[in-house]
Amino acid sequence: MMGAFQEAGVVVTGAGGGIGAALARRFAAEGARVVVNDLDAERAKQVADEVGGIALPGDASAIVDDARDALGGTVDVYCANAGVAFEGGAADGPLDDMAWAASWDVNVMAHVRAAHALLPGWLERGSGRFVSTVSAAGLLTMIGAAPYAVTKHGALAFAEWLSLTYRHRGVKVHAICPQGVRTDMLAATGSAGDLVLQPTAIEPEAVADALLKGVAEDRFLILPHPQVAAYCQARAGDPDRWLSGMNRIQQQWEESR
């Protein structure tokens, strides 16, 4: 049985492991021709070999032209999945301008650059699909990681802007916003991740399943953890109560350190 993306040209950034690798596997299983991008060339090759795809190592910000060439001239689906996470806040820890700059560059500007390169072709032909791996942190927040929380809000805002601006011209946009996912990035979040994310963490494959279901239902916002919808409603309905609740979690985390 042919998959929903039979012969589609798909690019997945940050696909050497975790969510990106799961997306590459799922799209390949649906019949797509997949470009596997990662900064780690060996990991990109391993996943590409596994799925019968094309390895394209390097900076996710600058691969669209090479990916398009590798796919024979057309990118049908672009998954902006690569991301970075730095701990720290405004007044504590060794956080510096480099951490903020890297967070903006990878978590937001890489998406902007990719869209800039892809949109002319998509608008000319009237079709294209942009998938942004955001995070529930983009809808809510994350304790102990100001650059991550702030830039994931930015990634969501950019995905929303793309959708409202171009949906009538055939460009589909999806924002995936999971909470904890069992990846290397979750392991690197330390005690904050252990407290907030680990208890309900899911496997990367569950995120890929949620994306394909959301695509089939033509949904912008994809929530692999359904409870995030209720958290968003609580945040919007009573911001002060929500902030007080998050502050209690912050205090609990501080006491546990």
Side-chain angles (χ1 to χ4, degrees):
M1 180 171 158
M2 294 176 66
F5 290 92
Q6 189 72 26
E7 292 303 312
V10 176
V11 179
V12 186
T13 68
I19 294 173
L23 293 176
R25 294 184 188 107
R26 185 59 191 272
F27 277 111
E30 293 289 322
R33 298 171 296 119
V34 182
V35 166
V36 178
N37 162 258
D38 200 273
L39 276 175
D40 188 321
E42 178 146 351
R43 293 181 72 175
K45 184 178 185 304
Q46 287 174 349
V47 175
D49 288 347
E50 176 189 342
V51 304
I54 304 160
L56 184 58
D59 187 339
S61 291
I63 64 158
V64 170
D65 288 343
D66 289 341
R68 188 187 287 117
D69 290 343
L71 291 169
T74 301
V75 174
D76 299 293
V77 181
Y78 187 91
C79 298
N81 173 76
V84 295
F86 291 92
E87 295 181 16
D92 59 346
L95 198 63
D96 57 24
D97 286 350
M98 289 182 64
W100 279 99
S103 298
W104 280 113
D105 192 62
V106 178
N107 295 348
V108 181
M109 292 309 300
H111 299 201
V112 175
R113 294 184 191 107
H116 179 72
L118 291 161
L119 280 168
W122 285 356
L123 295 175
E124 182 178 356
R125 75 183 196 196
S127 67
R129 195 177 298 272
F130 193 96
V131 177
S132 177
T133 301
V134 181
S135 167
L139 290 163
L140 303 167
T141 192
M142 179 59 194
I143 63 169
Y148 185 76
V150 171
T151 56
K152 287 300 184 177
H153 275 72
L156 179 63
F158 183 64
E160 289 174 336
W161 186 88
L162 283 179
S163 181
L164 70 88
T165 303
Y166 298 113
R167 60 171 48 203
H168 66 294
R169 299 182 64 181
V171 176
K172 303 287 188 179
V173 183
H174 308 277
I176 317 172
C177 296
Q179 287 188 290
V181 183
R182 297 187 184 99
T183 65
D184 292 344
M185 185 177 286
L186 176 59
T189 60
S191 58
D194 290 343
L195 176 64
V196 178
L197 302 175
Q198 285 283 8
T200 59
I202 60 176
E203 296 298 330
E205 290 73 20
V207 180
D209 290 343
L211 172 62
L212 269 291
K213 185 173 186 291
V215 167
E217 295 171 354
D218 198 23
R219 284 189 283 111
F220 167 76
L221 190 61
I222 295 172
L223 303 177
H225 293 79
Q227 62 267 35
V228 170
Y231 300 156
C232 290
Q233 291 173 349
R235 178 177 179 266
D238 192 340
D240 287 306
R241 182 177 181 183
W242 179 81
L243 285 168
S244 293
M246 290 302 298
N247 179 251
R248 286 193 291 274
I249 295 173
Q250 172 73 20
Q251 293 179 61
Q252 183 181 350
W253 176 55
E254 290 177 7
E255 291 167 1
S256 71
R257 295 170 72 186

